[in-house]
Amino acid sequence: MVRSISTISQLSKVDFSKKYEEAVKTLNTLQSNAQTLERIRKERDKRSSFIIPNMISFIERAGMSMDDIDKLSIIHVCGTKGKGSTCAFSECILRQQGYKTGFFSSPHLVEVRERFKINGMSISKESFSSYFWEVYSRLDETKDSHNGTMPAYFGFLTVMAFHIFMKENVDVAIMEVGIGGQYDSTNVIRKPVVCGVTSLGLDHTSILGTSIEKIAWNKAGIFKPNSVAVTVDQKMEAMKVLQERAQENEIPLYVVPPLQDYSSFGDLQLGIRGTKQTLNASLALQMCKLWMDKKEQENGSIISHGTASSGLSSDLPVLAAFSLTSQMQKGLTVCHWPGRNQCIKRTGITYYLDGAHTVESIEQCVEWFKEASAEERSSILGKVVKILVFNSTGDRDPATLITPLVDCDFSAAVFCPNIICDTFNTADMTNFTVSRERQDQKCLENKEIWERVSRLKLNHSKNGLDFDREIGLQPNQKRRKHQHIYNESEVEIINISHADQSRLELSVKEVMPSAVEDLKDNIGQLQNEIVIWTESFPSISKALSWATQGRDPSLIENLKIPCVPNNLKEADHIQILITGSLHLIGGVMNVINEEVL
């Protein structure tokens, strides 16, 4: 039998795709289920001291040595907000300068191979499969002589990153910390060239601690002797801890200058949108300059030991701004980091995607969405409505994330778990760390919090009261932690959901069938005049099918969802903000078939 070249090529692609799928499914066996993960969290203090020794063992079992890791030229980045964006800027700048780059990030949005980038491109399915089995096979073959131990999911990917970067012979490896720093799997790195710290805040508090000081201590665990530490401006309490940790390692700690201080910056448009990205861009520039100086054996040539400029929170020396090369300028402008302040336009619909999942990042997301949606609205003839699609995960307090979003004047708010479809989830999106029951419960909790906060705000607006002042904020204060600001007894307004409407229709139909249509119209009018329509769905695909009213033909499961209120049906354009979780963003990109790689 003779096969054409095109047929053989197609079969080859199928084979590689199958190998990739098998690799990802095998990788997923290293995930801990929800019950195991909860036990590990409770025993974390006992287990934390073993994380780095275990990582060293896994690296050696995979055929590498710590001396091999030391030979990699590494930029190591931690922080609460913006570490992924900062790493992306750094990678793009150095690539534009002509260096071969490796970039390890987390989490992935659509496919796990996104976590490994060579020269700005995610590794191919073929490369992922090849590298995966090289590492996995060696670890699997040696587990019996090591009490059956295998690395956990993220630990394995960290080992695999080192393996890939050595095989690819990269000039620089940019490593993003997973969670924290001190006990993160990436902290097996002993000789980073530069350590960067992005903005710090309260996140993963059940793991890292409930104070900014504890979180700063954990993050600064990546500082190592003979390196250089660089940070954006931080709160005084955090900066003090960072300084102490730098002194313990006998390394300098510097603060980066504002982005506008760089000559040649001018009116450059950053490739990643958002006001906070100026901080991340400046940090990336300084880390890259320090790395290049080290590469060229010109240490210290750019450092200014002047006093901190006005507005900084400490007396730490500020690195001097410098004239940007054309390559640096291009790196800042062409940098692409999906799922962060990203707009995707389809006919009659604009998706606004931002994986914000801390209070500060949600506030920045709100600022960006208000500005971007208003700008788009000004160019559209006809009626425009705004819809929120939200989910939050982990130990985060959803009330602190949801409250700032109420200010966006949404016509509807939709809640769903990070599950693509009811019937299936791709191997790349499989998550065993949280049960389906808990995900569904979280959605209902989020929906209830939204309804309570929106009721309170509406009640205050109708009575001419200042919402922020009523909850104890001064006019110039930012909103923080509103989990206890709402009181259902204060308001009589009813939020009407699809389930509520169905029950009402059933009751009326039993008495007067002809009144059902009148009821629908009245409910639609009520929604137009009083409250935001709220819904919860069991999957991302159903949530988006409802929110888009079936207008986006690219949806992988475009379902016809009933009971869309009239004020949404009449819209000429729909603006949909999706936020609260990077995993949610990844699921949405999967559902709408948006290219990420």
Side-chain angles (χ1 to χ4, degrees):
M1 177 179 180
V2 179
R3 289 178 175 160
S4 68
I5 293 176
S6 61
T7 303
I8 294 172
S9 176
Q10 289 172 3
L11 289 172
S12 178
K13 288 180 180 179
V14 170
D15 290 342
F16 276 122
S17 180
K18 183 179 179 182
K19 288 179 182 177
Y20 175 76
E21 192 84 5
E22 290 172 354
V24 175
K25 287 180 179 178
T26 303
L27 171 65
N28 287 340
T29 65
L30 301 178
Q31 290 188 40
S32 301
N33 62 33
Q35 293 78 15
T36 303
L37 197 61
E38 183 60 31
R39 188 178 73 251
I40 290 172
R41 282 177 178 148
K42 290 178 180 177
E43 299 173 357
R44 188 172 182 84
D45 290 341
K46 299 177 183 177
R47 293 169 173 258
S48 58
S49 61
F50 298 106
I51 292 174
I52 303 306
N54 286 344
M55 280 298 297
I56 293 172
S57 174
F58 296 139
I59 286 169
E60 292 172 345
R61 285 167 54 189
M64 297 173 282
S65 69
M66 288 307 298
D67 288 339
D68 293 328
I69 307 300
D70 292 343
K71 291 173 184 174
L72 286 171
S73 190
I74 295 174
I75 295 176
H76 202 187
V77 182
C78 68
T80 306
K81 306 176 298 295
K83 60 182 185 288
S85 300
T86 300
C87 287
F89 277 131
S90 301
E91 185 282 324
C92 201
I93 290 168
L94 291 175
R95 174 161 42 91
Q96 295 300 326
Q97 290 284 158
Y99 297 103
K100 184 174 183 179
T101 61
F103 177 16
F104 176 60
S105 64
S106 61
H108 61 275
L109 295 178
V110 176
E111 296 185 15
V112 67
R113 61 193 177 97
E114 298 163 32
R115 297 180 184 230
F116 311 97
K117 288 183 170 60
I118 302 297
N119 281 337
M121 297 295 293
S122 301
I123 63 173
S124 66
K125 290 185 176 182
E126 296 90 333
S127 294
F128 180 92
S129 301
S130 176
Y131 288 134
F132 173 85
W133 291 115
E134 286 173 10
V135 174
Y136 185 87
S137 297
R138 290 169 183 170
L139 289 167
D140 190 52
E141 288 166 1
T142 56
K143 69 180 181 183
D144 289 342
S145 58
H146 290 81
N147 299 316
T149 58
M150 289 286 284
Y153 186 92
F154 184 75
F156 178 90
L157 293 177
T158 304
V159 174
M160 187 171 161
F162 293 134
H163 177 70
I164 291 171
F165 296 155
M166 282 191 283
K167 288 284 189 179
E168 294 286 343
N169 195 29
V170 298
D171 294 318
V172 57
I174 298 158
M175 302 287 293
E176 179 189 353
V177 168
I179 295 177
Q182 178 71 38
Y183 304 115
D184 187 71
S185 297
T186 65
N187 206 31
V188 72
I189 297 166
R190 300 188 301 193
K191 296 183 178 181
V193 176
V194 185
C195 300
V197 185
T198 66
S199 298
L200 299 179
L202 297 179
D203 195 23
H204 298 294
T205 51
S206 64
I207 298 173
L208 305 179
T210 55
S211 70
I212 193 67
E213 292 88 350
K214 288 180 180 178
I215 286 174
W217 183 91
N218 209 304
K219 303 284 184 181
I222 70 170
F223 294 173
K224 300 297 190 314
N226 303 312
S227 182
V228 179
V230 192
T231 182
V232 300
D233 190 30
Q234 308 281 0
K235 293 180 181 177
M236 187 69 75
E237 302 90 337
M239 197 68 91
K240 184 173 182 291
V241 175
L242 295 181
Q243 194 168 11
E244 290 170 353
R245 295 285 265 164
Q247 289 170 351
E248 289 171 9
N249 286 278
E250 299 181 341
I251 61 172
L253 172 65
Y254 300 105
V255 182
V256 302
L259 189 60
Q260 60 266 28
D261 286 3
Y262 295 80
S263 59
S264 307
F265 175 69
D267 296 324
L268 280 181
Q269 182 74 45
L270 295 178
I272 311 174
R273 297 187 64 178
T275 55
K276 297 295 184 183
Q277 295 302 337
T278 58
L279 282 175
N280 301 331
S282 182
L283 179 57
L285 285 167
Q286 293 292 347
M287 290 194 302
C288 291
K289 186 70 166 66
L290 286 167
W291 182 88
M292 288 189 290
D293 283 353
K294 179 67 178 289
K295 187 83 172 175
E296 298 168 3
Q297 298 300 307
E298 295 174 356
N299 294 346
S301 62
I302 67 164
I303 295 175
S304 165
H305 293 284
T307 57
S309 57
S310 176
L312 296 182
S313 59
S314 74
D315 292 328
L316 287 172
V318 182
L319 289 169
F322 48 84
S323 180
L324 303 183
T325 65
S326 59
Q327 293 91 341
M328 289 177 175
Q329 293 180 47
K330 186 175 181 182
L332 292 175
T333 57
V334 304
C335 182
H336 180 55
W337 195 226
R340 286 79 171 178
N341 296 148
Q342 181 181 3
C343 291
I344 300 173
K345 297 192 176 186
R346 303 282 166 82
T347 303
I349 302 165
T350 303
Y351 298 101
Y352 293 81
L353 283 72
D354 189 56
H357 50 273
T358 67
V359 178
E360 294 84 357
S361 58
I362 281 285
E363 288 174 344
Q364 186 277 322
C365 171
V366 167
E367 181 182 344
W368 162 71
F369 175 70
K370 282 183 175 180
E371 180 181 340
S373 61
E375 182 180 343
E376 182 188 45
R377 173 68 184 87
S378 66
S379 65
I380 296 174
L381 297 175
K383 181 177 180 179
V384 177
V385 297
K386 293 184 284 188
I387 297 176
L388 172 68
V389 177
F390 179 88
N391 190 35
S392 66
T393 59
D395 57 5
R396 300 176 180 93
D397 179 0
T400 63
L401 305 183
I402 287 172
T403 301
L405 292 165
V406 174
D407 286 338
C408 291
D409 297 323
F410 291 108
S411 299
V414 179
F415 304 88
C416 63
N418 298 337
I419 295 171
I420 295 176
C421 298
D422 291 348
T423 54
F424 76 95
N425 227 19
T426 66
D428 289 277
M429 298 296 291
T430 300
N431 183 2
F432 297 133
T433 63
V434 58
S435 68
R436 177 61 193 262
E437 291 74 21
R438 178 56 189 144
Q439 291 190 67
D440 291 341
Q441 180 186 2
K442 188 89 170 178
C443 285
L444 292 176
E445 291 172 2
N446 292 340
K447 180 174 177 286
E448 289 170 3
I449 291 170
W450 171 272
E451 290 173 348
R452 291 168 181 169
V453 175
S454 60
R455 288 173 194 170
L456 180 62
K457 181 175 176 61
L458 182 59
N459 186 64
H460 281 64
S461 298
K462 288 183 68 178
N463 291 287
L465 300 175
D466 187 301
F467 183 60
D468 286 350
R469 189 179 294 279
E470 189 71 10
I471 61 175
L473 290 181
Q474 297 303 315
N476 61 345
Q477 278 185 301
K478 284 188 174 182
R479 201 174 291 163
R480 287 288 188 274
K481 293 194 174 182
H482 302 351
Q483 58 266 47
H484 303 300
I485 68 169
Y486 41 77
N487 183 346
E488 287 186 273
S489 63
E490 294 185 27
V491 287
E492 300 296 332
I493 299 165
I494 300 172
N495 276 287
I496 300 180
S497 67
H498 168 49
D500 295 327
Q501 181 176 338
S502 297
R503 284 193 294 271
L504 281 169
E505 288 177 12
L506 183 62
S507 300
V508 173
K509 194 171 185 178
E510 291 175 354
V511 179
M512 192 185 306
S514 62
V516 173
E517 290 305 316
D518 292 337
L519 175 63
K520 287 183 179 179
D521 291 337
N522 290 334
I523 288 174
Q525 291 171 13
L526 184 64
Q527 291 301 314
N528 282 327
E529 297 174 4
I530 300 181
V531 293
I532 297 169
W533 189 278
T534 59
E535 288 288 357
S536 62
F537 291 99
S539 67
I540 295 170
S541 59
K542 285 188 175 178
L544 289 184
S545 290
W546 186 89
T548 63
Q549 303 172 39
R551 298 185 188 188
D552 188 350
S554 66
L555 296 187
I556 60 173
E557 186 184 29
N558 208 329
L559 306 172
K560 187 175 180 181
I561 304 297
C563 299
V564 175
N566 290 335
N567 66 326
L568 300 185
K569 286 181 181 177
E570 296 164 357
D572 297 290
H573 194 89
I574 305 172
Q575 297 175 324
I576 305 175
L577 173 64
I578 300 120
T579 192
S581 163
L582 274 170
H583 299 286
L584 173 64
I585 298 298
V588 168
M589 288 184 150
N590 207 312
V591 169
I592 67 175
N593 282 301
E594 179 66 15
E595 182 66 39
V596 174
L597 302 169

